[in-house]
Amino acid sequence: MSDTLQRDSDSILAARYGVTEETIRARIALNDGCAAFDAGNLAEAESCFREAKRLAVGCITTLTTARRYLASTYFTRYWPGQFKDVNEAAANAKWLGMAEREYREILASGADERDREYAEAGLRYLGPSQC
């Protein structure tokens, strides 16, 4: 689809459903991220979820969903166990820290009860020091 046609389509959807074009584009990015995640392309999924998070600033539901999916993507990239060297262990720990940050943003955002429970469960799973 051409950029002009996509923008026109986003405008029509935004007007019809009473949301911003950014929210429409954020939902599209979420869908693209889910497809990438399901296909095992975690780098692309992360990129799509980051874009959705950036675009969804005015819509708490879409923003929280983007944060949840981004936290799940980070957590999926974490592999517990033995590492050959300190650099691998540090890179692995980075994913946990990024997942923790997204879970904490969900808790701080005023998300609904279901999303707060999801974030709290994620933090509990990361370990007792994370709660």
Side-chain angles (χ1 to χ4, degrees):
M1 184 179 295
S2 74
D3 287 343
T4 304
L5 185 56
Q6 182 63 52
R7 278 193 304 275
D8 290 347
S9 175
D10 292 349
S11 296
I12 291 168
L13 286 171
R16 180 175 182 174
Y17 293 106
V19 297
T20 65
E21 290 180 42
E22 287 78 17
T23 300
I24 297 291
R25 289 198 303 270
R27 295 302 302 181
I28 292 168
L30 282 174
N31 291 339
D32 292 346
C34 288
F37 187 91
D38 288 344
N41 189 343
L42 298 178
E44 182 181 343
E46 177 186 348
S47 176
C48 291
F49 296 144
R50 282 179 181 258
E51 178 69 3
K53 186 178 162 184
R54 185 185 70 77
L55 291 168
V57 173
C59 179
I60 189 69
T61 304
T62 303
L63 179 59
T64 301
T65 302
R67 286 176 173 152
R68 286 179 52 211
Y69 289 171
L70 192 53
S72 295
T73 301
Y74 291 147
F75 192 76
T76 300
R77 295 179 90 165
Y78 166 74
W79 289 96
Q82 303 286 327
F83 295 97
K84 297 176 187 167
D85 62 35
V86 174
N87 291 332
E88 285 182 6
N92 198 44
K94 173 187 87 164
W95 297 120
L96 283 184
M98 294 169 79
E100 178 188 0
R101 185 183 69 232
E102 293 302 327
Y103 290 137
R104 293 203 182 280
E105 284 183 14
I106 291 169
L107 292 174
S109 70
D112 67 21
E113 183 178 348
R114 179 184 58 106
D115 289 324
R116 284 193 312 274
E117 288 174 357
Y118 177 89
E120 288 168 355
L123 288 171
R124 279 193 304 277
Y125 193 80
L126 291 176
S129 65
Q130 308 301 321
C131 295

